[in-house]
Amino acid sequence: MKIVVVGDVLLDTDITGNAQRLSPDAPVPVVDVDSTHRRAGGAGLVARMLARDGIDVALVTVLSDDAAAADLRDSLTGIPVTAGPSGAPTPVKTRIRAGAQAVVRFDEGCSTPPVPAVTAQMLSILSAADAVVVADYGRGLTSNPRLRGALAELAGRVPVIWDPHPAGAEPVPGVAAVTPNLPEALRSAGTGGSTGTGVAGSSTNGGIPAALHAAETLLARWHSRSVVVTLGSLGALVLPAAGLPQVIPAPDVQAGDTCGAGDRFAATLITALARGSGLEPAAGQAVQAAAGFLAAGGVSALQRDEPPVQLHSGSLDALSAARTVRGRGGTVVATGGCFDLLHAGHARTLSAARRLGDCLIVVLNSDSSVRRLKGEQRPIIAQEDRAELLLSLGCVDGVLIFEEDTPEAALERLRPDIWVKGGDYREDQLPEARLIKAWGGETVTVPYHPARSTTALAAALARVG
């Protein structure tokens, strides 16, 4: 499977350091620079993400012949790049950060360029694609008539998704999905919005109703097979040409810098579609991937050897989530149990546990473990559904399922800083407390809420049939 990314590239430069004093010349911070990192942005970032995912990817774009273009080529090492002449300077966006806080951004070479030419070699690479991502950053490439004709032909036989830009060309008809963010969708539909990122649920942009109205307008105008509006922390709205709209919620993650989240969404969406997934499941994967990308540190994580991980998706991701939090100096909290038939007591215990640290991992007894502990009639709910119910709670960041009768082996893998149990447990009922101490962790209890138990709930349900 070969995925071709076609679109505009730019050079992103991140300058990071510490700011602990103001300049004597003006009331502005003085940033003591620690590092300067240059990376490909735009279509180049999408291609880099796909390559890190192990995808056979090629990039079709246009490049200048200036020094910034040479830096761009260096940052794309290992990715096959087919480029025609851009006829304009390389756009460079330089971000200066003090710690995790952005101080200022400088844009160079970002004035409107002429529509570039498209070479026969560029079109040849496109014609061999099994799937295509169009990453439009408003630099004119997607306005080229020859390229648009080729993309329209491709849209009839392979998945093509189009990530639009307010200054770019409209998508060609027939693409599988167009993926504007909410401000872009509102602006393109003429219903408001701006070029900023905005807040998906705020009163200034109307939230889900405004997103749906804009998506309906754009679906009719663009003649695509779907419009997928990304909504930031709310997830995404999927509007197919036939069928009901679907809102896909996003995991609750903390992210200071959202740069690259849309590119991560597009890269995951096209991969899932190319592998035969339906639109809604593919969008669900893309929402999870974008959230995991931000939780892992966003674009800064691309400098590390390991790719970003998804949260809220099973045992391996629970361990990865804990490593990410610990790597930032945060506190990992864990609790455990069967959690068969969730009730208010469970919810209160989990909420209290989450407030003790920076992430909460639930160590969950597997079905076979529950049967050995509770009898052949249990569990009432299978482990996959129990995990999904737990993960639907905003206070739970991951679930680690274990097969043994006790959680010690799972805890040895997870190594939480704090192990939490309900206040109905005595010290002699928690043999794992000694294990927690072995790596410097602590075991604590939170208030127990009597008259709330799975056994009592199951008995009540049995009485009513």
Side-chain angles (χ1 to χ4, degrees):
M1 178 181 71
K2 177 181 285 293
I3 295 178
V4 174
V5 181
V6 57
D8 310 303
V9 293
L10 51 126
L11 182 66
D12 281 328
T13 302
D14 295 322
I15 300 175
T16 59
N18 294 311
Q20 299 179 339
R21 66 189 193 279
L22 294 178
S23 169
D25 305 317
V28 295
V30 175
V31 179
D32 293 315
V33 176
D34 294 327
S35 65
T36 300
H37 179 70
R38 296 177 177 84
R39 54 184 169 78
L45 180 56
V46 179
R48 175 58 66 196
M49 289 174 171
L50 287 166
R52 282 171 60 87
D53 293 341
I55 301 298
D56 182 9
V57 61
L59 174 61
V60 172
T61 188
V62 291
L63 289 171
S64 181
D65 57 358
D66 53 20
D71 290 335
L72 256 179
R73 289 187 181 275
D74 288 343
S75 69
L76 291 167
T77 299
I79 297 174
V81 178
T82 303
S86 69
T90 300
V92 181
K93 297 186 178 182
T94 302
R95 296 172 177 85
I96 298 179
R97 291 186 174 89
Q101 178 63 49
V103 176
V104 68
R105 190 183 89 182
F106 301 106
D107 288 2
E108 304 170 80
C110 293
S111 58
T112 304
V115 175
V118 171
T119 67
Q121 188 178 11
M122 294 167 66
L123 297 177
S124 175
I125 297 298
L126 263 179
S127 67
D130 297 305
V132 175
V133 182
V134 180
D136 188 354
Y137 275 76
R139 302 289 297 169
L141 180 57
T142 58
S143 296
N144 182 284
R146 292 182 67 198
L147 179 64
R148 294 181 66 81
L151 290 170
E153 188 276 329
L154 278 168
R157 56 184 178 87
V158 301
V160 176
I161 68 167
W162 193 293
D163 192 5
H165 190 276
E170 290 200 347
V172 300
V175 299
V178 188
T179 60
N181 62 35
L182 180 53
E184 291 168 347
L186 295 175
R187 182 175 179 179
S188 297
T191 55
S194 66
T195 57
T197 55
V199 179
S202 73
S203 60
T204 58
N205 57 36
I208 299 297
L212 181 55
H213 178 66
E216 290 170 342
T217 300
L218 296 174
L219 188 67
R221 179 192 303 169
W222 289 339
H223 304 289
S224 57
R225 282 181 271 167
S226 70
V227 172
V228 181
V229 181
T230 57
L231 303 171
S233 61
L234 290 184
L237 169 72
V238 180
L239 180 65
L244 292 173
Q246 184 174 106
V247 176
I248 299 174
D252 184 15
V253 298
Q254 299 298 316
D257 182 6
T258 60
C259 177
D263 300 303
R264 179 67 270 177
F265 184 93
T268 305
L269 181 66
I270 193 60
T271 300
L273 292 176
R275 289 173 172 164
S277 173
L279 176 62
E280 286 83 358
Q285 293 179 43
V287 166
Q288 291 284 334
F293 169 79
L294 293 176
V299 288
S300 62
L302 297 177
Q303 302 173 37
R304 300 194 292 264
D305 291 336
E306 293 185 3
V309 298
Q310 291 180 206
L311 302 180
H312 293 189
S313 299
S315 300
L316 179 60
D317 288 342
L319 295 170
S320 298
R323 284 197 298 269
T324 298
V325 168
R326 189 174 288 115
R328 296 174 180 167
T331 299
V332 176
V333 182
T335 189
C338 301
F339 294 96
D340 195 12
L341 294 182
L342 279 177
H343 53 72
H346 289 143
R348 293 176 185 179
T349 296
L350 292 167
S351 180
R354 179 60 177 82
R355 290 195 291 270
L356 300 179
D358 300 291
C359 78
L360 174 63
I361 307 300
V362 176
V363 181
L364 182 69
N365 294 75
S366 70
D367 289 349
S368 58
S369 177
V370 174
R371 277 193 292 273
R372 291 193 299 271
L373 293 173
K374 304 286 187 179
E376 287 299 319
Q377 302 304 312
R378 302 279 295 275
I380 299 168
I381 300 178
Q383 63 190 41
E384 291 82 5
D385 289 345
R386 286 185 284 131
E388 184 173 343
L389 287 169
L390 287 165
L391 290 169
S392 71
L393 302 175
C395 56
V396 177
D397 298 292
V399 173
L400 179 60
I401 299 173
F402 67 94
E403 295 287 344
E404 299 81 11
D405 293 341
T406 62
E408 277 92 339
L411 290 171
E412 180 69 48
R413 297 171 65 201
L414 183 63
R415 296 200 165 210
D417 302 298
I418 301 175
W419 174 241
V420 180
K421 295 296 286 184
D424 55 327
Y425 279 87
R426 303 187 309 270
E427 186 174 3
D428 60 354
Q429 294 175 306
L430 298 173
E432 65 270 17
R434 182 177 299 177
L435 177 66
I436 300 291
K437 278 283 188 185
W439 53 78
E442 299 291 343
T443 299
V444 302
T445 62
V446 293
Y448 170 64
H449 303 281
R452 294 173 177 85
S453 73
T454 298
T455 301
L457 183 57
L461 289 172
R463 288 194 297 272
V464 298

